[in-house]
Amino acid sequence: MFQKSTWLHLRIPFSFFLLPIFLFSLCISPNINGLRLFVVFVCLHIFLYPASNGYNSYFDRDEGSIGGLKNPPPVHRGLYGLSLAFDIIALALGSTINGLFVLMLLVYGLVSKAYSHPIIRLKKYPWSSWFIVGLFQGAFTFVMVYIGVNDYALENLNRTHVYLPALLSSLLLWGSYPTTQIYQHEEDARRRDNTLSRVLGIKGTLHFTAIVFTLSTAGFFCYFEYYFSIYYSYLFLLFLSPVLLFFGYWYLRVHRNSSTADYQHTMWLSSLSALCLNAFFLFLFLKQSQLWKLYV
């Protein structure tokens, strides 16, 4: 029914890079139900995120590398319909949770479409797109998972232990997001998309990421010390150390040769970051939940 290229543009495996936010939200969820957890995961990572990927690919029609696809195939009309179908499936599944969760799925989907749609195209506005992407893929998603997994209403969000980690999630993404644009300067320039990485420049992008990522790491360290224990603060640093080492290595390489600010190094950094963060938050979730007791 759909060409192979259409399915490739959904980039379902790319959802792995956003999984840390889902797992982090689970770590503070007091009312977890296995079925709800599964439904929320499927809604986001199997349908909502791929729907956004496909929709944006349809309007971007990239010829160069994009996140998760080094050589993206040509875009066909079926991608538009399939991405909308995935959105509808996500909303239908979300309706089994509660109305607020469905509303948040809808809002996320609309905002993600505004990123590349020619009428709005947030991608043209460097600081606005940076802020909105970090806010919705971070804090908004954190809260959306919290609402869905716990089946909570809006009043359950007015708590420091909920919105503080949500904001830390956004801070983490605000630091890393510009590096995902660093190898696309030429193609973005051809389309007149003035991304934040283009504004900052190649070296400026890495400087910016280093500063915001340092602030983010310090924030997480203090958060875990206050709400969990100093043990988890240092454990977070230990899990994150491969990312910091690789970033330092890449930073030095780019300073010697700016051509190394390429797709390959960007994907290595993104993959390593997702792997380390997923491992840490999964470990924390198992320790904080009853599931851990099944294995000790």
Side-chain angles (χ1 to χ4, degrees):
M1 181 178 178
F2 295 101
Q3 299 185 42
K4 180 182 178 181
S5 63
T6 298
W7 292 99
L8 287 175
H9 274 289
L10 293 177
R11 290 176 281 160
I12 295 177
F14 195 71
S15 298
F16 178 77
F17 296 101
L18 295 176
L19 184 58
I21 307 301
F22 176 87
L23 294 174
F24 188 21
S25 189
L26 293 186
C27 293
I28 69 155
S29 295
N31 190 31
I32 290 178
N33 170 276
L35 180 58
R36 284 198 305 268
L37 188 156
F38 177 75
V39 170
V40 172
F41 174 84
V42 171
C43 282
L44 268 61
H45 292 273
I46 306 301
F47 292 105
L48 185 67
Y49 294 153
S52 298
N53 295 336
Y55 189 91
N56 289 323
S57 285
Y58 178 78
F59 285 101
D60 285 340
R61 299 181 183 273
D62 292 286
E63 297 177 0
S65 300
I66 56 177
L69 284 177
K70 185 174 183 179
N71 299 299
V75 170
H76 298 285
R77 178 68 182 177
L79 179 59
Y80 182 82
L82 186 60
S83 65
L84 293 181
F86 267 47
D87 270 323
I88 293 171
I89 294 172
L91 293 173
L93 286 173
S95 67
T96 64
I97 303 293
N98 62 42
L100 179 58
F101 181 66
V102 174
L103 178 61
M104 296 185 79
L105 289 172
L106 178 62
V107 170
Y108 183 99
L110 292 174
V111 171
S112 69
K113 288 171 178 56
Y115 185 74
S116 293
H117 196 281
I119 294 178
I120 304 174
R121 200 158 182 84
L122 290 173
K123 198 174 183 181
K124 295 189 300 185
Y125 309 102
W127 290 103
S128 298
S129 61
W130 166 78
F131 179 79
I132 291 172
V133 168
L135 179 66
F136 276 85
Q137 289 188 352
F140 189 87
T141 295
F142 183 96
V143 171
M144 181 164 53
V145 172
Y146 188 78
I147 288 291
V149 167
N150 295 283
D151 192 18
Y152 279 159
L154 196 60
E155 56 265 23
N156 294 90
L157 303 181
N158 190 26
R159 299 173 183 177
T160 307
H161 78 275
V162 176
Y163 61 75
L164 181 58
L167 291 175
L168 284 173
S169 298
S170 280
L171 187 59
L172 187 68
L173 286 163
W174 283 324
S176 61
Y177 182 65
T179 61
T180 66
Q181 305 168 326
I182 201 170
Y183 61 89
Q184 297 177 314
H185 288 189
E186 290 185 9
E187 185 156 359
D188 288 333
R190 285 198 299 270
R191 285 198 303 253
R192 298 182 181 179
D193 288 332
N194 202 22
T195 62
L196 182 58
S197 184
R198 280 191 64 206
V199 171
L200 297 172
I202 290 176
K203 293 180 181 179
T205 296
L206 296 183
H207 291 153
F208 181 86
T209 293
I211 292 170
V212 180
F213 200 72
T214 299
L215 293 174
S216 171
T217 302
F220 273 99
F221 187 93
C222 295
Y223 167 78
F224 287 122
E225 180 182 12
Y226 185 82
Y227 284 98
F228 292 86
S229 72
I230 192 67
Y231 166 77
Y232 289 105
S233 298
Y234 286 113
L235 194 65
F236 178 74
L237 294 182
L238 178 64
F239 272 79
L240 208 60
S241 58
V243 182
L244 302 176
L245 290 172
F246 181 81
F247 180 82
Y249 158 79
W250 188 29
Y251 180 90
L252 294 175
R253 287 206 65 186
V254 170
H255 268 264
R256 291 196 296 267
N257 182 3
S258 60
S259 67
T260 56
D262 54 15
Y263 173 82
Q264 185 178 35
H265 284 85
T266 301
M267 290 307 299
W268 281 349
L269 179 65
S270 297
S271 300
L272 187 60
S273 178
L275 183 64
C276 292
L277 288 170
N278 282 329
F280 173 78
F281 289 127
L282 180 60
F283 175 80
L284 181 61
F285 168 61
L286 292 174
K287 286 286 286 184
Q288 295 300 310
S289 69
Q290 297 297 318
L291 291 176
W292 180 258
K293 296 180 180 180
L294 298 176
Y295 303 98
V296 296

